[in-house]
Amino acid sequence: MAKTGSILVLGTGELGFEVLQSLATHPHHDSRSISVLLRVCPQTEPAISKRAAQIADFRRLGISILEADIVNDAESRLKEVFAPFHTVIGCSGMAYPPGTQVKICQAVLAAKVPRYLPWQFGLDYDKIGRGSSQDLFNEQLDVRDLLRGQKTTQWVIISTGLFITFLFEPSFGVVDLQKMTVLALGSWENRITVTSPEDIGRVVAEVTLVTVDLNGVIFTGGDTVSYGELAKIVDGHKGHAVHRSLASIDQLERELDADPENGLKKYRVVFAQARGVAWDEGQTFNKQRGMHMTIHHSSQELCTLLIQFYVVSAFDQLLHRECDMMLLRTCPLSTLPLRPRKPPSTLTPFLTPILSRNASHATEGRANGAKQGPGKRLGAKKGATELVVPGNIIFRQRGTKWFPGENCDMGRDHTIFATAKGYVTFYSDPERHPRRKYIGVVFERGMKLPTPRNAARRRRLGMVAREMSTSTPTPATPKSDAKAGDLVMADKKRPQMQAQPKHVRAEAPTGKAPSLKPGYMFRESNAYIGRAAERAGLKVRKFDHRDRFAAWRRRKEQIRQEREARNIKDRTKGSRRRKPQSL
């Protein structure tokens, strides 16, 4: 017959330790006995010393020890172990071989244990259903079918969502604090419910010791966040944006098809489908009972605990050193020695976040590289009405605070420079753009931009506009012996050319007449120009591309002249540095 109020906890992993401590320290603990089921210890010196330390720590908490093997022992043997207890709490985890959870459930029902809390601390398996990518969930549904098909044992299943330590596990791939990456499974809007092992232990203690009339499935959760909110939380804690990537359901299914035995890839497909992995905070047990959860993303506790968790493993100290368990959990994190954590080997969560601590200062990457460099000398280089020539830089900027206007252009670094000679002006052109500011170059001081749309175009030949005279010139009196084109004196003050009749074409020079060439200009052909020396009777040495002596002689003469120029310069400097001799 079961003892009144006696409790048996299966396993001392991450969750089992939190459940044992919460039960032992709960205000309603009273005189109920608490026991923990451990596997048979291997007969080796390190294992024996570890087991002795564990027993000593559990005894300080008033917890008794039982030994059994839930994997290899038969169902009848487990029935004998479970029979003396009133409540059995499964904290063995999902790392055991398939069929273990069903065997434990059958042993509990055969022993007629009054109350049973199976290992169902995870997702809403009823909503996920059978046939999912993770075949372990089918066994969880088998356990639920066994419990719902009987009325002897009162049972409570606590759906907690994802363990927060597993969310930040690098092998899972959602948040990798070492590579500074955040991966969204399915969509950035998909939401997941996460809970810390410490909060799960408190909820289990509350259900076991206070709400003894519960029966069925309940939900709890530390927080429910989307992958986009999770990336912002990590950004805020790190002080800069982390790399974001999205994995679609099709992509994850293809990866699973390539490696069908990979358990982590099975979990990733389930979370990408976003079915049964998140629930509203209002329907949780902790919200209805007014329990304060230690993790909530608005207070940044989620990242603080987990980033501390990544580097240090204080739980290893608990297994390798004979120390007080309660003292270890309450000592400051700064007093724990730092050591790198080994990569995980199973899917179960590994450490309690509060037992670890990360470095407080980043030392690699771009953390220490953002120094204050020299100024870039930005701003105006030429003022308004200042004379510029083509190529002069007028304004240096980052971005387009100013745009190039008339007779200006912009370089690839947004530098504005002049393309014509003139005077700088700053203006705006609402017809061209309502909000942009322009820099232009005009040909005369005081000229305004923009010019009216129908205004005459100004010539760009560097000329000054003058008003033409409309008066009729006085014809000059030619002399009898003057030829056409000679200068005659219209008066004693100003010489004038003799008037030529209009539309009289000038005589073409002797030789081949010029013709129209590309570029709309009249000139002689290249062959005609090249024989100018021949027509003038000049003899030029014929060019021979194979004769390099002339080029060598010119180069030697150039080198000699440069050497003499350097010697003269050195002698001049030496005479300046020579001190005058004292008399």
Side-chain angles (χ1 to χ4, degrees):
M1 185 175 178
K3 298 180 181 179
T4 303
S6 57
I7 302 171
L8 176 63
V9 177
L10 309 180
T12 57
E14 177 186 24
L15 183 59
F17 175 77
E18 296 292 345
V19 170
L20 288 170
Q21 178 175 313
S22 299
L23 290 172
T25 58
H26 196 277
H28 294 78
H29 170 249
D30 300 333
S31 60
R32 304 182 189 184
S33 62
I34 303 175
S35 302
V36 58
L37 184 68
L38 302 179
R39 289 184 297 178
V40 178
C41 178
Q43 298 302 313
T44 60
E45 184 176 353
I48 294 175
S49 61
K50 292 178 187 177
R51 179 55 57 85
Q54 285 183 341
I55 293 174
D57 294 329
F58 287 134
R59 284 178 177 173
R60 292 190 186 98
L61 295 173
I63 301 173
S64 58
I65 308 296
L66 293 179
E67 288 188 349
D69 192 342
I70 60 177
V71 176
N72 298 319
D73 288 350
E75 180 183 334
S76 58
R77 165 62 181 154
L78 296 179
K79 173 184 175 182
E80 298 175 358
V81 175
F82 298 157
F85 294 94
H86 176 270
T87 304
V88 175
I89 303 174
C91 298
S92 55
M94 299 285 289
Y96 288 105
T100 304
Q101 300 300 328
V102 174
K103 183 175 70 172
I104 296 174
C105 182
Q106 291 173 345
V108 169
L109 297 179
K112 297 183 179 180
V113 176
R115 204 170 190 211
Y116 178 42
L117 278 69
W119 173 265
Q120 298 269 333
F121 305 100
L123 310 179
D124 187 357
Y125 303 116
D126 291 330
K127 193 171 184 179
I128 295 174
R130 296 183 182 273
S132 65
S133 59
Q134 181 55 273
D135 47 7
L136 294 178
F137 294 169
N138 295 334
E139 183 177 353
Q140 299 292 71
L141 293 174
D142 293 338
V143 173
R144 296 193 179 197
D145 292 342
L146 289 174
L147 295 175
R148 287 167 177 158
Q150 55 82 39
K151 297 183 180 180
T152 305
T153 300
Q154 183 185 7
W155 54 275
V156 178
I157 291 177
I158 304 176
S159 296
T160 61
L162 185 66
F163 279 32
I164 191 67
T165 52
F166 191 60
L167 177 64
F168 279 71
E169 179 55 46
S171 59
F172 189 44
V174 174
V175 179
D176 193 336
L177 298 176
Q178 188 175 15
K179 298 180 180 179
M180 299 304 298
T181 59
V182 175
L183 173 68
L185 302 178
S187 170
W188 287 105
E189 287 74 25
N190 286 353
R191 303 180 69 81
I192 52 175
T193 297
V194 292
T195 312
S196 68
E198 181 181 357
D199 290 334
I200 298 174
R202 293 169 52 232
V203 171
V204 171
E206 189 76 11
V207 171
T208 305
L209 302 176
V210 180
T211 57
V212 295
D213 56 342
L214 278 178
N215 188 47
V217 181
I218 65 173
F219 295 90
T220 186
D223 200 358
T224 300
V225 296
S226 64
Y227 293 104
E229 295 171 346
L230 180 63
K232 293 180 181 179
I233 293 171
V234 179
D235 289 345
H237 186 87
K238 287 297 183 180
H240 57 82
V242 298
H243 177 71
R244 292 167 166 80
S245 58
L246 175 64
S248 63
I249 298 178
D250 294 339
Q251 175 185 347
L252 296 173
E253 288 178 346
R254 288 194 299 268
E255 294 177 359
L256 180 59
D257 293 339
D259 189 7
E261 301 301 326
N262 192 315
L264 287 174
K265 294 182 179 179
K266 295 179 182 179
Y267 276 105
R268 292 169 68 174
V269 173
V270 172
F271 280 93
Q273 294 171 348
R275 187 172 63 249
V277 299
W279 39 84
D280 184 49
E281 185 181 0
Q283 69 182 65
T284 58
F285 175 82
N286 52 281
K287 183 69 175 180
Q288 297 171 358
R289 299 285 298 181
M291 297 178 62
H292 173 71
M293 309 302 275
T294 58
I295 291 182
H296 196 277
H297 74 278
S298 61
S299 62
Q300 295 290 332
E301 294 178 358
L302 180 144
C303 269
T304 303
L305 293 178
L306 288 157
I307 293 175
Q308 290 175 351
F309 152 75
Y310 185 74
V311 175
V312 185
S313 173
F315 191 67
D316 288 348
Q317 301 177 54
L318 177 63
L319 301 179
H320 289 83
R321 296 173 55 189
E322 295 185 11
C323 58
D324 189 348
M325 183 186 303
M326 295 300 296
L327 177 62
L328 178 62
R329 289 189 52 78
T330 57
C331 65
L333 293 175
S334 58
T335 62
L336 299 178
L338 299 179
R339 58 186 297 273
R341 182 171 64 83
K342 296 181 180 180
S345 58
T346 62
L347 294 179
T348 55
F350 309 101
L351 299 176
T352 304
I354 201 170
L355 296 177
S356 306
R357 183 175 186 268
N358 198 356
S360 58
H361 181 74
T363 58
E364 295 182 1
R366 51 185 178 179
N368 298 316
K371 300 297 190 296
Q372 183 67 27
K376 303 305 178 184
R377 279 63 174 172
L378 305 178
K381 307 304 175 185
K382 297 291 184 180
T385 70
E386 192 170 349
L387 180 65
V388 293
V389 297
N392 280 170
I393 294 175
I394 303 176
F395 201 92
R396 284 194 178 275
Q397 59 185 339
R398 291 290 178 266
T400 52
K401 299 179 179 63
W402 292 88
F403 286 83
E406 295 290 333
N407 304 314
C408 288
D409 205 346
M410 184 166 61
R412 62 182 182 181
D413 62 344
H414 308 103
T415 297
I416 297 178
F417 58 92
T419 57
K421 182 179 179 181
Y423 303 93
V424 178
T425 181
F426 299 84
Y427 67 98
S428 60
D429 190 353
E431 293 186 0
R432 190 173 178 183
H433 197 280
R435 292 184 300 275
R436 288 184 178 179
K437 299 178 293 183
Y438 295 92
I439 299 177
V441 173
V442 296
F443 303 115
E444 298 179 7
R445 290 184 185 272
M447 183 176 175
K448 300 295 183 181
L449 289 179
T451 57
R453 180 176 298 179
N454 299 325
R457 188 177 63 178
R458 305 299 299 271
R459 294 175 60 86
R460 304 185 182 185
L461 301 178
M463 297 182 177
V464 178
R466 294 183 180 276
E467 185 178 359
M468 297 180 61
S469 175
T470 58
S471 60
T472 304
T474 304
T477 304
K479 294 182 181 181
S480 59
D481 57 347
K483 297 181 180 179
D486 290 347
L487 288 173
V488 296
M489 298 297 294
D491 50 27
K492 297 182 179 180
K493 296 182 180 180
R494 180 178 173 183
Q496 292 184 352
M497 291 287 295
Q498 187 174 358
Q500 294 282 351
K502 290 186 177 182
H503 308 295
V504 176
R505 178 178 248 171
E507 295 182 3
T510 60
K512 188 174 182 180
S515 59
L516 184 63
K517 300 297 181 182
Y520 296 97
M521 56 183 175
F522 286 88
R523 65 178 183 85
E524 294 83 358
S525 64
N526 293 339
Y528 184 79
I529 296 174
R531 290 186 174 86
E534 181 181 348
R535 291 193 302 272
L538 301 177
K539 292 185 178 180
V540 181
R541 180 181 176 184
K542 187 177 181 180
F543 175 73
D544 185 4
H545 68 277
R546 295 172 297 181
D547 183 11
R548 304 301 300 166
F549 177 73
W552 175 82
R553 188 171 63 250
R554 287 193 300 270
R555 179 58 184 161
K556 293 292 290 185
E557 180 64 20
Q558 182 181 3
I559 293 174
R560 186 187 63 78
Q561 292 177 1
E562 292 176 355
R563 186 185 301 112
E564 289 182 357
R566 286 196 300 269
N567 292 338
I568 293 174
K569 187 176 181 180
D570 294 341
R571 286 197 298 269
T572 304
K573 289 183 178 180
S575 62
R576 291 177 181 177
R577 289 195 299 266
R578 190 179 300 113
K579 296 181 180 180
Q581 297 180 357
S582 59
L583 301 177

